[in-house]
Amino acid sequence: SVRAFVPIEQNGQVIATLQIGVGDSFLQNIEQALQGVAVHLVQKDNTVIRSTDEQMVGEVVDVTAALQGTIARDKNDTTFRSDLPIYDPSEQNIVAALRVEQNIIAAHENFRTLILTSVSIFVFTLLISTTIAIYYSHSVTKSLIFTATIARHVADKDLCHTPTIVKRKDEIGQLANSVIKLKDDLSNTL
């Protein structure tokens, strides 16, 4: 791993040292999280000292702008590259540079996969929602038709028809049972 040390002073005396570092696990986590992205840690002589691509370790790359404190970006047909300065904890001295390279083709493939996954989830959700809506609609319609049939028998003065009690507990079931009770009460009164 790469480490930087900065003295912590109080009243002109060093009382502690602050240490920060970038280790191999940092680069591995980036590689796992961002497929198609390569990260290179470059020291001041432009030599890659750590990388998610082991073949790049020891190679010389031009990160001069980053080592001078400027964030540099570059793009060609297959790669998008950013060079970032790495400062020591005091943020006064540049200790290294971080080069991030992204394969544009892999990024487009990841984007296509994301779109396909999103569309698939949307279609699946739409199908489930439609199925539930049709089922519920059919259930409500069936109960309303049953209630309307009872009301029609009452309107035609046919009080001999004996419907069964509706088992629904919602408002539609209550309406159907109220109409059945109305029919029974009218039948008993006459």
Side-chain angles (χ1 to χ4, degrees):
S1 66
V2 176
R3 303 204 181 281
F5 298 91
V6 175
I8 300 174
E9 296 181 9
Q10 183 177 23
N11 298 327
Q13 293 188 18
V14 175
I15 60 169
T17 304
L18 178 65
Q19 172 184 318
I20 64 163
V22 176
D24 292 334
S25 63
F26 169 76
L27 297 177
Q28 290 169 352
N29 290 339
I30 288 177
E31 183 177 31
Q32 289 173 355
L34 305 171
Q35 294 179 355
V37 175
V39 180
H40 314 296
L41 190 57
V42 184
Q43 62 187 4
K44 285 189 167 188
D45 68 355
N46 289 321
T47 304
V48 176
I49 55 174
R50 293 275 190 257
S51 177
T52 55
D53 179 2
E54 288 298 321
Q55 296 175 353
M56 288 297 296
V57 175
E59 294 290 321
V60 175
V61 294
D62 183 17
V63 291
T64 306
L67 292 172
Q68 294 173 352
T70 303
I71 295 175
R73 291 187 173 88
D74 183 32
K75 179 182 174 187
N76 60 33
D77 291 338
T78 60
T79 307
F80 178 76
R81 178 175 41 239
S82 295
D83 295 335
L84 310 161
I86 298 178
Y87 291 89
D88 68 7
S90 68
E91 295 188 15
Q92 294 181 7
N93 299 312
I94 296 172
V95 294
L98 192 66
R99 172 168 278 186
V100 180
E101 295 178 323
Q102 183 172 15
N103 182 318
I104 293 172
I105 296 167
H108 285 296
E109 187 60 37
N110 288 343
F111 182 71
R112 275 190 230 116
T113 301
L114 177 66
I115 293 297
L116 181 61
T117 303
S118 298
V119 168
S120 299
I121 291 171
F122 174 76
V123 168
F124 178 74
T125 303
L126 185 65
L127 287 174
I128 295 296
S129 299
T130 302
T131 302
I132 291 170
I134 288 171
Y135 172 77
Y136 186 72
S137 172
H138 177 70
S139 173
V140 169
T141 303
K142 184 178 176 183
S143 295
L144 287 176
I145 290 172
F146 175 77
T147 304
T149 302
I150 296 170
R152 193 173 312 109
H153 285 289
V154 171
D156 292 341
K157 298 177 181 79
D158 176 12
L159 302 177
C160 296
H161 184 266
T162 312
T164 58
I165 300 294
V166 176
K167 294 180 182 176
R168 289 181 67 127
K169 301 292 181 196
D170 62 359
E171 291 82 4
I172 294 173
Q174 291 173 0
L175 174 65
N177 287 327
S178 294
V179 170
I180 291 170
K181 185 173 181 341
L182 171 68
K183 184 210 72 75
D184 289 343
D185 289 350
L186 279 174
S187 178
N188 291 337
T189 301
L190 298 176

